[in-house]
Amino acid sequence: METQVRPSPVSATVDFDSDGIQHGFLRLPYSRDDAAWGSVMIPVTVVKNGEGPTALLTGANHGDEYEGPIALFELARSVRPEDVRGRVIIVPAMNQPAFAAGTRTSPIDKGNMNRAFPGRPDGTVTEKIADYFQRVLLPMADVVLDFHSGGKTLDFLPFCAAHILPDKQQEARAFELVRAFGAPYSVKMLEIDAVGMYDTAAEEMGKVFVTTELGGGGTASARTAQIAIDGCRNLLIAAGILKGKPEVRSTQWLDMPDGDCFTFAEDHGLVRFCADLGDKVQKEQIIAFIYPIGRTGLKPVELRARRSGLFTARHFLGLVKPGDCVAVIADEIIG
């Protein structure tokens, strides 16, 4: 007997098929102590002008990452329907509860949106939102741009990225849009934890998926916010959805080919970095010390680079715990 999937409890106050610009919400009923018939209200903008491809643009998949929301709230405010060919769906804060709380995961259910796919229509709040994207929004899209940065715990050289894929045509198109985005760095991405990711859900549907890591530390600088704003515009133009001329910018391509790119802590303590983002490091070079904090006079633990390359990302907080990613080293691609 075939099991029937429940409809999504999320409803949209916008019509995705109507021409023009609409600002509204994705409304998810959520009964809580202070509102028995309450809702989670996720802002959404839809801009449509005739036939053409659809771009789905998302930010705050993790709630403490701000370049994406800045770029997308600005785009939703400034874009005009006559400048669009096709459709743009803008969701500046995909995990709205986490974004409102300034936390990586949802304060409602501790759900990590980027590990919740494909979601469930009868699951937690985070799973219900993921299910709506999986079954309603992603099928509409041709191109997906999901903004990320390091949040409160990581800091990155600002890059745009896509994944190595079995479908080389899909992969090539994604890397074309990465180049068009025009971030200072562009990455051929290796995911260390791909299960349940929004990326994986989109790519398995054959969508052209592009992402970013733009700074970190739980804030957005003037520079990284502008990279996000300009890059979003450039990508939409390159995708044939937004009219205009893209700004051509040079980018340094990076590759993360294997697990040796990542250095993890095995001890708890105070971290002292011996190299900064953007530095070139050599294999076996000491890149950080971890000082025990329970008493004085103890020798710090040495963390050494597992490969040579460019210091691309680092742990942001001053204290580390066993299992924390402390550093990421990437290969520079010449040419």
Side-chain angles (χ1 to χ4, degrees):
M1 184 176 179
E2 186 176 343
T3 303
Q4 201 165 27
V5 180
R6 294 185 181 187
S8 171
V10 177
S11 59
T13 67
V14 296
D15 181 353
F16 292 105
D17 296 322
S18 292
D19 278 0
I21 185 166
Q22 303 167 72
H23 304 287
F25 298 94
L26 307 176
R27 189 181 74 83
L28 170 62
Y30 170 52
S31 179
R32 56 189 193 272
D33 286 342
D34 62 347
W37 285 6
S39 301
V40 173
M41 304 290 280
I42 303 171
V44 61
T45 293
V46 182
V47 188
K48 188 174 182 296
N49 185 18
E51 298 301 315
T54 292
L56 174 58
L57 311 177
T58 52
N61 188 321
H62 296 129
D64 60 352
E65 302 174 4
Y66 297 107
E67 285 83 0
I70 288 170
L72 297 181
F73 277 115
E74 174 61 22
L75 179 66
R77 181 196 67 83
S78 60
V79 69
R80 301 180 304 173
E82 57 266 32
D83 293 332
V84 170
R85 183 183 69 85
R87 179 172 55 182
V88 182
I89 302 171
I90 306 169
V91 186
M94 188 176 179
N95 193 341
Q96 178 68 17
F99 178 65
T103 55
R104 178 177 176 84
T105 60
S106 174
I108 297 173
D109 55 23
K110 296 301 180 184
N112 181 339
M113 182 66 70
N114 215 26
R115 301 295 183 273
F117 281 81
R120 292 171 49 198
D122 56 353
T124 65
V125 165
T126 302
E127 289 172 330
K128 289 174 180 176
I129 297 171
D131 170 73
Y132 185 82
F133 274 82
Q134 177 85 30
R135 291 196 290 146
V136 179
L137 294 184
L138 279 177
M140 296 183 195
D142 300 290
V143 173
V144 182
L145 171 59
D146 185 39
F147 281 99
H148 285 265
S149 61
K152 294 176 181 176
T153 64
L154 290 169
D155 195 13
F156 288 87
L157 293 177
F159 67 74
C160 186
H163 298 105
I164 303 297
L165 299 171
D167 185 330
K168 294 305 173 185
Q169 186 174 357
Q170 181 187 11
E171 175 190 294
R173 183 58 176 147
F175 284 123
E176 285 176 13
L177 294 184
V178 169
R179 184 181 295 278
F181 188 97
Y185 296 89
S186 297
V187 176
K188 295 182 177 180
M189 195 78 168
L190 170 70
E191 289 292 351
I192 58 175
D193 180 19
V195 176
M197 292 184 72
Y198 183 44
D199 316 35
T200 306
E203 288 162 351
E204 287 180 348
M205 289 186 191
K207 310 302 179 181
V208 176
F209 185 89
V210 175
T211 189
T212 69
E213 294 288 358
L214 301 174
T219 189
S221 68
R223 176 173 178 253
T224 56
Q226 197 63 51
I227 290 169
I229 291 169
D230 294 343
C232 184
R233 176 180 178 275
N234 286 342
L235 182 142
L236 288 173
I237 293 170
I241 298 171
L242 187 66
K243 297 175 184 177
K245 188 174 182 181
E247 297 181 30
V248 179
R249 297 182 176 181
S250 62
T251 187
Q252 172 62 59
W253 282 87
L254 305 175
D255 188 15
M256 297 178 188
D258 56 44
D260 284 345
C261 295
F262 303 91
T263 302
F264 294 92
E266 296 181 359
D267 302 89
H268 176 267
L270 174 68
V271 62
R272 169 196 165 191
F273 284 98
C274 304
D276 288 319
L277 295 183
D279 288 349
K280 295 183 179 182
V281 301
Q282 301 300 315
K283 184 177 181 179
E284 295 300 325
Q285 176 181 333
I286 296 174
I287 52 176
F289 293 105
I290 299 177
Y291 289 86
I293 59 175
R295 62 186 301 160
T296 59
L298 299 179
K299 184 179 179 181
V301 174
E302 298 175 350
L303 289 184
R304 296 179 179 269
R306 298 170 63 188
R307 67 180 304 117
S308 298
L310 193 72
F311 198 171
T312 303
R314 50 155 279 189
H315 188 77
F316 190 78
L317 300 176
L319 298 179
V320 297
K321 299 186 292 296
D324 286 351
C325 181
V326 177
V328 180
I329 310 297
D331 287 344
E332 292 182 275
I333 302 173
I334 307 301

